[in-house]
Amino acid sequence: MARSKKSKLYNLIFIVIIALLLIPQTRQPIQVFINKGIALFVKPSVIKSSERKVLSSYDWTLKNMSNNTYDFKSAEGKVIVINFWATWCPPCIAEMPSLEKLYQHYKSNDDVVFLFVSNEDKEKLYEFTIHNNYSFEVYQSLTKYPKDFNVSSIPRTFIINRKGEIVIDKSGAADWNSERVINTIDEQLKVF
């Protein structure tokens, strides 16, 4: 009898969770919460030196929310953090606080460039960053990004060293303000 009550309780909890995931107003917050939990444990891994791809081109033009253009060629010789994301993407939303902290850590360093790239409507992007108190610049592509990025899902984040090598290539939510990432960027700043 006790087993039957327990079983019914588990079934009820399962049905409530499924119902919450089906309701649009509760789906995204639950997915973001789950992805934040996952991101706490996922630390981006560094690609071995012998396996790193070198960017074949810096030919890419972007614009920020003020419609100022940014030539990716100006980032050549610097450490670059590129994050492809969207405001509707739960894993993207989940990792944004750690990316903001990483940005804050390096924002005064002219040798580190952050590019947060989205193809969404400018007003939506602006509202999202203001609502969440994010201080990083958001960009939209004016031309096709270099083929080396090959972005087929988001979030997708790359860290590129001064030599143009892709040091980190991570799809999905992660903790970007981790000791591993900071140490990696700091090491790449010493090289060249």
Side-chain angles (χ1 to χ4, degrees):
M1 187 73 161
R3 189 170 188 91
S4 176
K5 284 184 180 182
K6 216 180 217 182
S7 179
K8 286 180 183 179
L9 179 63
Y10 288 143
N11 286 341
L12 180 63
I13 291 170
F14 179 74
I15 289 169
V16 167
I17 290 171
I18 295 298
L20 288 173
L21 287 172
L22 292 175
I23 300 169
Q25 292 84 350
T26 57
R27 180 181 330 139
Q28 188 180 46
I30 291 170
Q31 290 173 333
V32 170
F33 178 77
I34 291 168
N35 277 284
K36 278 186 179 185
I38 292 169
L40 289 174
F41 300 102
V42 177
K43 310 298 182 213
S45 54
V46 178
I47 300 169
K48 293 180 187 175
S49 296
S50 61
E51 297 175 7
R52 293 179 184 166
K53 288 175 29 179
V54 178
L55 288 183
S56 57
S57 170
Y58 283 82
D59 189 23
W60 186 23
T61 306
L62 304 105
K63 69 175 179 176
N64 66 12
M65 296 299 96
S66 301
N67 287 324
N68 296 319
T69 59
Y70 180 81
D71 187 350
F72 187 55
K73 290 176 186 156
S74 67
E76 194 169 0
K78 299 181 180 189
V79 175
I80 310 164
V81 179
I82 302 174
N83 176 258
F84 292 92
W85 67 286
T87 63
W88 51 262
C89 164
C92 301
I93 296 167
E95 73 176 1
M96 275 299 158
S98 70
L99 282 163
E100 170 69 19
K101 287 178 186 170
L102 184 67
Y103 170 75
Q104 288 297 326
H105 187 84
Y106 289 102
K107 75 177 183 178
S108 62
N109 189 327
D110 292 336
D111 290 323
V112 182
V113 174
F114 283 83
L115 297 172
F116 292 87
V117 183
S118 180
N119 63 1
E120 288 184 278
D121 179 66
K122 184 168 68 170
E123 287 76 29
K124 184 173 274 215
L125 293 168
Y126 179 77
E127 286 175 22
F128 180 85
T129 55
I130 294 300
H131 175 75
N132 291 290
N133 294 316
Y134 294 138
S135 59
F136 51 77
E137 283 269 12
V138 177
Y139 295 88
Q140 297 170 309
S141 286
L142 290 176
T143 61
K144 181 78 173 136
Y145 53 77
K147 65 180 166 94
D148 305 298
F149 297 140
N150 190 26
V151 179
S152 58
S153 65
I154 55 173
R156 180 90 179 261
T157 305
F158 299 90
I159 296 182
I160 300 152
N161 69 13
R162 292 172 177 251
K163 298 185 241 177
E165 298 172 329
I166 298 174
V167 177
I168 293 177
D169 176 354
K170 174 74 178 97
S171 293
D175 178 9
W176 290 99
N177 196 39
S178 68
E179 189 175 322
R180 180 185 299 161
V181 172
I182 291 170
N183 288 341
T184 299
I185 291 174
D186 288 348
E187 287 172 24
Q188 298 309 314
L189 285 168
K190 295 175 190 173
V191 177
F192 207 54

